[in-house]
């Protein structure tokens, strides 16, 4: 490797490390305070405020990066395989399981993000866009089912929301992992959509 290529590679590694540190700082601030101040994030990440803007452009860019990090950690890439399953009900079960794993990644941060979305328009747009993607996926999956209610896509979207998993997990006791709600959500989805009798996926 030439010295120039090495320097470029090191520079890229430094950029990625800085980005990861800023995203971690944003998640930490959200989890602790329920707010997202770029100044506070910069201080927490030990970088200049200008560095945050350079890396993410604005608060929306940082929010998108936080959501992307949560998605990567939560295995949302596994959703791709959901849409390749030939059994439509198995696909629905798997959809529930993947989302259960995703919501469980950082429960506090996600809860604060979604609460902030109701108060901050910028946050609200980011979260609404992510929810719209989930609703779109629900529409694709329920479109493959037969004999389901007309509002099947909306029902699946609501039952796979963070709020549903969060509330059901709370019934298992303080600090319960959101994945404990997956079997319950699966049963609720199957009952609401009129699934035929048979075993359901457990995640």
């Amino acid at each position: 490797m030439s010295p120039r290529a090495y320097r470029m590679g090191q520079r890229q590694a430094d950029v990625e490390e800085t980005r990861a540190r800023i995203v971690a700082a944003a998640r930490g601030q959200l989890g602790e305070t329920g707010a997202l101040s770029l100044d506070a994030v910069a201080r927490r990440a030990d970088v200049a405020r200008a560095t945050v803007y350079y890396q993410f452009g604005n608060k929306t860019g940082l929010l998108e990066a936080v959501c992307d990090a949560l998605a990567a950690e939560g295995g949302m890439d596994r959703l791709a395989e959901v849409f390749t399953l030939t059994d439509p009900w198995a696909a629905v079960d798997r959809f529930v399981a993947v989302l259960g794993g995703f919501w469980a990644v950082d429960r506090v941060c996600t809860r604060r993000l979604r609460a902030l979305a109701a108060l901050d328009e910028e946050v609200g747009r980011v979260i609404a866009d992510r929810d719209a993607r989930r609703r779109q996926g629900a529409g694709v999956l329920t479109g493959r089912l037969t004999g389901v209610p007309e509002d099947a896509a909306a029902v699946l979207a609501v039952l796979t929301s963070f709020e549903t998993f969060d509330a059901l997990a709370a019934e298992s006791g303080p600090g319960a992992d959101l994945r404990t709600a997956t079997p319950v959500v699966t049963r609720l989805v199957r009952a609401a959509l009129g699934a035929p009798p048979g075993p359901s996926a457990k995640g």
Side-chain angles (χ1 to χ4, degrees), residues 178-193:
L178 263 68
R179 282 169 291 207
T180 62
T182 297
V184 182
V185 175
T186 301
R187 291 198 300 272
L188 288 172
V189 166
R190 283 180 155 258
L193 301 187

Side-chain angles (χ1 to χ4, degrees), residues 40-41 52 60 67 70 72 74 78 83 90 105 109 115 122 126-127 148 153 166 178 182 187 199:
V41 169
V52 178
T60 296
C67 290
L70 292 170
R78 292 178 297 164
F83 298 95
V105 167
C109 178
E122 201 168 355
V126 172
I127 298 303
V148 295
D166 193 38
L178 263 68
T182 297
R187 291 198 300 272

